[in-house]
Amino acid sequence: MQGIKIRQGEKPLRGQVKISGSKNAALPIMAATVLEPAEYILSDIPVLRDIKVMKAVLEALGGKVEQKGNSMRIDTRDLNSAEIPDFLMRRMRASILFMGPLLGRFGKVKVSQPGGCSIGPRPIDWHVKGLKQLGARFQESHGFLTGWGSSLKGKEIHLDFPSVGTTENIMLGAAKARGNTIIRNAAREPEIVDLQNFLNSMGAEIIGAGTDMIKITGKKELSGTEHTVIPDRIEAGTFLVAGAITRGEIKLLNVIPEHLESVIAKIKEAGFELTEEGDTLTINSAGTAPNSLDIKTHPYPGFPTDMQPQFMALLSLARGTSVLTENIFENRMKHAEELKRMGAKIRVEGRAAIIEGVPRLYGAFVESPPALRAGAALVLAGLAAEGETCVVDIEHIERGYENLVGKLQQLGAEIEIIHLEEEEKNG
Ligand code: UD1
């Protein structure tokens, strides 16, 4: 088993770091390549575990995928299956993003219940409902869901909630459907705009991504294309917190500050100085402890749920009491228990965490919950804690961050990946 060891926390991180391409933008784009038998070239694909699973799904469907560093060439001309193997579905929730494109390509799809982060119940009912509205039929039996729909038809669809994955699946299903589709109450995340740009470069006709109404004019035929994925706003936010929590100074390269507005606002409210210059963003902490904050997670452009755990770590060291409210997922506070082992004072009441700031956190042996941002939050806490911290069960962190440890080393952190025997973990 692997762990992340921080030999000595409380060291201000300094220097610059290049932010990788967005995982959550890359995943639906990779799924979109199934829509049309063609060749695709993608740049700024992050090297991380979820992308490897997506690559494995494409290969299981009969696609050819070559990855060299951050470039990926995908050939979907010889695809011969519309069934996603169960063991891959279980490894990553984003596999459900193949439902729309496989229906669009083969008029058929077979999936099982998806896995992924353990952050409360994450049903796929809205995905199914949306695709049904486009004319697909579904049948569930023995844990598998099979969908048919050889001629999907455009429709006006009003989402119950601006779900990111549902919006993407409907866009993917509608891109080759007959007629026009309108998605109302659509999710507005930047990753959806990136998917629109990718699909349009394939010849699709989509407008409105980034607003709550997306209009898709179905096209009979699309084509292969080249695309560069947007920078990862959650990785960027994680490094901003790394700068703030260690009271250092970090310059982030390859960011789109506009995508981070709600995070930037909270970092500033906490008392940190931020300088934007083109596609760079610098945080300067001037050695100060953060002010306490009141944060509620919301769909974009609200404060992202994917930054909630990292801010819980930061606010553990704030001056005063903070309240963090999680509105998107039901059970996304498991990191609180582990932070408490490091000396944090946190009380979780339903969807809210009340965090009483302490002057110091202490290094400890902690377990990453099976959720990737929660694991990152523990690493951040370890970087700020006195003495040595060991975070075990890090495979979920590796699902979502490209070279997190290497990038933190580059900023001066005394951090490394270690191999632990099972007995060490238990003892
Ligand atoms: C995406 C992101 C994830 C982020 C989340 C919210 C990817 C690969 N993942 O996940 O990192 O945390 O957006 O910003 O882009 N829901 C249902 N039924 C459904 C679908 C969703 O009840 O059919 C619920 C979920 O349980 C959750 C809420 O809707 O409570 C939001 O989920 P959604 O926006 O769909 O998130 P994902 O697309 O899964």
Side-chain angles (χ1 to χ4, degrees), residues 166-243:
T166 307
T167 304
E168 292 167 342
N169 238 334
I170 297 173
M171 286 166 77
L172 290 162
K176 283 183 88 175
R178 275 181 296 129
N180 296 338
T181 297
I182 292 175
I183 311 174
R184 293 190 193 277
N185 197 25
R188 298 164 59 183
E189 270 69 1
E191 293 75 24
I192 289 170
V193 179
D194 209 29
L195 178 62
Q196 168 178 286
N197 291 341
F198 177 74
L199 288 168
N200 284 347
S201 77
M202 286 173 70
E205 203 179 318
I206 307 178
I207 54 168
T211 74
D212 61 4
M213 190 182 90
I214 301 177
K215 188 173 170 201
I216 303 132
T217 308
K219 289 277 162 144
K220 242 186 175 159
E221 224 172 277
L222 302 172
S223 63
T225 187
E226 294 187 16
H227 183 79
T228 301
V229 170
I230 55 168
D232 196 310
R233 63 193 167 98
I234 304 301
E235 188 198 14
T238 304
F239 277 98
L240 286 182
V241 174

Side-chain angles (χ1 to χ4, degrees), residues 24 93 121-127 163-165 305-306 328-329:
N24 287 353
R93 178 176 167 83
R122 292 173 87 181
I124 59 168
D125 51 338
W126 296 336
H127 294 251
S163 150
V164 176
T305 173
D306 286 354
I328 308 292
F329 292 107

Side-chain angles (χ1 to χ4, degrees), residues 98-146:
F98 280 102
M99 281 173 35
L102 282 171
L103 279 169
R105 170 92 176 253
F106 293 114
K108 194 181 169 197
V109 62
K110 188 172 176 192
V111 299
S112 55
Q113 187 60 32
C117 284
S118 168
I119 46 179
R122 292 173 87 181
I124 59 168
D125 51 338
W126 296 336
H127 294 251
V128 172
K129 185 175 168 189
L131 293 168
K132 272 185 179 169
Q133 284 173 285
L134 293 179
R137 287 172 292 115
F138 285 91
Q139 194 182 55
E140 211 181 335
S141 79
H142 306 297
F144 287 91
L145 183 70
T146 309

Side-chain angles (χ1 to χ4, degrees), residues 18 36 60 78 93 120 196 202 209 233 235 307 313 325 333 375 383 400 414 419 424:
K18 184 170 179 263
E36 189 67 37
D78 295 331
R93 178 176 167 83
Q196 168 178 286
M202 286 173 70
R233 63 193 167 98
E235 188 198 14
M307 283 303 301
T325 310
M333 294 272 181
L383 291 170
E414 292 186 32
H419 298 271
E424 277 181 72

Side-chain angles (χ1 to χ4, degrees), residues 292-311:
S292 57
L293 299 174
D294 184 353
I295 298 181
K296 295 181 177 66
T297 64
H298 285 292
Y300 190 87
F303 188 88
T305 173
D306 286 354
M307 283 303 301
Q308 178 261 102
Q310 301 89 317
F311 267 73

